[in-house]
Amino acid sequence: MRSMITQPVRAFEGGAAGPSAEDLLCIDTIRTLSMDAVQKANSGHPGTPMAMAAPAFALWQNVLRYDPADPLWPNRDRFVLSIGHASMLIYSLIYLAGVRDVKNGKVLDAPALTLEDLKQFRQLDSRTPGHPEYHHTAGVETTTGPLGQGCGNSVGMAIAEKWLAARFNKPGFDLFDYHTYTFCGDGDMMEGVASEAASTAGHLKLGNLTWIYDSNRISIEGSTDIAFTENVGKRFEAYGWHVLEVRDANDQKAFLAALADAKAETTRPTLIIVHSVIGFGAPKKAGTAAAHGEPLGDAEILGAKKAYGWTNDTPFFVPDGVQDIFSKGLGARGAEASAQWKALYAAYAKEYPDLAKEVDDILTGRLPAGWDKDIPTYDANPKGVASRASSGEVLNAIAPNLPWLIGGSADLSPSTKTNLTFQGAGAFQPPEWNGTYGGRNLHFGVREHAMGSICNGISLSGIRAYCSGFLIFSDYMKPPIRLSALMHQPVVYIFTHDSIGVGEDGPTHQPIEQLVQLRATPGVTTIRPADANEVAEAWRTLIPMTDRPSVLILSRQNLPTLDRTVYAPASGLAKGAYVLADSDGTPDVILMATGSEVGLVVSAYETLKAEGVKARVVSMPSWDLFEAQPQDYRDSVLPPSVTARVAVEMASPIGWDRYVGLQGAIIAMHGFGASAPAGALLKKFGFTVDAVLAQARALLAK
């Protein structure tokens, strides 16, 4: 180590003072590990880790309240690398800081990453995938890579801290006061989702949030001047952010002063604009697009190491003492802070045992006893109720018994029926906007994309989050829904106005292909209930799911409430599909549907039954839950010997062929809808009892 520390401290742009020799040793180790890993993988992004190693080290070593020995410590500061392509930056930090590994929610006496793991960057089954993945690598707080998503997640994390503090902090017991730091880049600043999230954070006055913007002005196509020339600082000032600027990423003194300023500002989120040189130190590629998304090449790496004063050209060389430096800084500070918190929590548990039990349940993903005790049962009613309305009733029956269930809509709660109306529910707003940070109703505004990514951040903090909108606008939310599934986060997505039954709003608002998209996303449970009792069972099924997101698809129009003394109980929903109505023995024809169309096929079934036809009705609210059942159960619902099958759904037919087979029929949408009253649309597009009967009779006649 001594030979490394004696290297001269370089001069930086604008006369900025560089780091100390000891700090510089750590910073250059981050840089060289990042370069070497990308080079070995022959794939990756070396330039940003080289540019931002100094601010990252300064944050982790001097400011971040984080215990590497306990990466699950609840009151740790959160570090989000929204610029997920710079993954070697966080992998190097995790390795050098000695972050412990985590498995099944338990911290192990083993490192999260070893030097060998860094050498396996981007390789099959490695712990260092191309972009950071939550649950895959301990120390990674969220899966990032799609630009802007990490920014949205960080707003959710900041919201969660505010909510936890409002509910659980007591005089002398500040259980939750952590800060969220996010590294973002030019790409994030261009993405609309980050702008939506920033606008939300400014409105909510989230003073516990700091974004550190790496303004290197380079993207894959070259200088950002070809597409991005706005004044980002002025934009964020307009959002209501506190904006600071550091002229040179290597100016540790200026950067640490900016971090202190950000922490002191408690009524506004802070944006720190850090000007950096991508590929810093590379003799030919520094400051160019060539340093962004491809290996530097051996010659350029040697030149960069020479510029750093590096005395050992061996790839993945870590000088003696670097990890000790991290241990004496971040490690010691984090260990002391986490020990103090745990002692505080032990005293809190004695003083406030009921609240401590809630905290424990949140941290472990447990549900409180009796969370479902007030879920209603609905009497038969031919007029019925819209499933969006019954869902709102069920939600309001669950939420008082599940105190950490919070959420809202993209300015649509009167339509999606997702507002929590019980006494004390309140609105999550700063006091200036007549709310409280303990409120449980979130108002996201018309920001569907940010809403989804914010809910992921809330969920990553242990709180159960839900959000809602019209099904057609799930188009704006595919990235966060996909990331919910990748991260196994139990966010509940509530989508209403689920079909051409929307009527006069026309084809722009009538979902057709959205169900296919949601069903095609791995790890997402999609449920489209047929009546109020299936809605109740849907909520009873999805709330205990803690390892996946759920999507609840609901109607605008009334759905008849089926008489469950005549038809099978709605509890069959838990298996995804079930026999709702049947005949004696093996049926001659099977009618199947989801949602509002179930009532339609039930009417057709009754006609066929009166004609002496042996018919069966199968309600199929959740394909993925059905596919998870044993084969013998699936065969009992859909006997392979019965080939006369009719499926009915006001959406794309794609996917139904697996259930109707080559000889069956599908009544579905083969184009977009139209603007007209719902009744006229159902007749025009063939969603009538007569149309179902015609298809069934045609199949029976074969």
Side-chain angles (χ1 to χ4, degrees), residues 539-553:
W539 278 102
R540 199 186 306 275
T541 299
L542 66 85
I543 286 292
M545 294 179 179
T546 58
D547 64 345
R548 73 187 85 172
S550 301
V551 178
L552 196 54
I553 309 294

Side-chain angles (χ1 to χ4, degrees), residues 236-466:
F236 273 71
E237 286 177 359
Y239 288 149
W241 284 57
H242 180 44
V243 178
L244 304 170
E245 194 164 10
V246 176
R247 291 292 180 181
D248 188 329
N250 296 296
D251 188 339
Q252 299 283 276
K253 183 178 179 181
F255 181 65
L256 289 171
L259 289 175
D261 193 342
K263 193 69 180 289
E265 173 54 69
T266 59
T267 62
R268 292 178 293 172
T270 296
L271 178 73
I272 303 176
I273 303 172
V274 177
H275 297 276
S276 75
V277 176
I278 194 168
F280 178 80
K284 296 180 180 178
K285 295 185 177 182
T288 72
H292 177 73
E294 61 188 51
L296 293 176
D298 292 334
E300 197 74 359
I301 287 176
L302 288 174
K305 289 181 178 180
K306 182 179 180 181
Y308 300 154
W310 212 241
T311 61
N312 191 319
D313 293 336
T314 304
F316 298 97
F317 173 67
V318 178
D320 292 339
V322 168
Q323 289 172 297
D324 288 339
I325 295 170
F326 273 92
S327 179
K328 292 173 182 176
L330 172 68
R333 188 180 67 256
E336 181 180 4
S338 66
Q340 290 175 350
W341 187 89
K342 289 165 187 173
L344 181 71
Y345 182 66
Y348 179 88
K350 293 179 180 178
E351 187 79 16
Y352 304 100
D354 292 341
L355 289 176
K357 174 65 165 57
E358 285 190 11
V359 173
D360 285 343
D361 287 346
I362 289 172
L363 297 178
T364 57
R366 290 192 301 263
L367 292 172
W371 68 270
D372 58 348
K373 64 184 177 66
D374 295 325
I375 293 179
T377 300
Y378 291 87
D379 295 332
N381 183 342
K383 180 181 179 182
V385 61
S387 55
R388 62 171 174 162
S390 55
S391 175
E393 293 170 357
V394 175
L395 175 60
N396 271 279
I398 293 172
N401 301 315
L402 181 50
W404 50 95
L405 177 64
I406 70 174
S409 78
D411 194 47
L412 289 171
S413 62
S415 293
T416 60
K417 310 299 182 185
T418 49
N419 199 50
L420 299 180
T421 57
F422 57 88
Q423 187 174 6
F428 184 94
Q429 295 279 358
E432 294 90 328
W433 307 133
N434 301 314
T436 157
Y437 288 127
R440 297 176 59 185
N441 286 296
L442 298 171
H443 298 287
F444 293 102
V446 188
R447 303 183 183 103
E448 289 90 352
H449 198 170
M451 175 173 69
S453 61
I454 287 170
C455 281
N456 278 335
I458 294 171
S459 180
L460 286 161
S461 306
I463 299 170
R464 290 302 297 268
Y466 68 87

Side-chain angles (χ1 to χ4, degrees), residues 556-578:
R556 176 194 185 190
Q557 70 274 25
N558 286 353
L559 307 182
T561 305
L562 298 171
D563 185 347
R564 297 294 172 164
T565 66
V566 175
Y567 302 107
S571 56
L573 175 140
K575 292 186 176 180
Y578 65 103

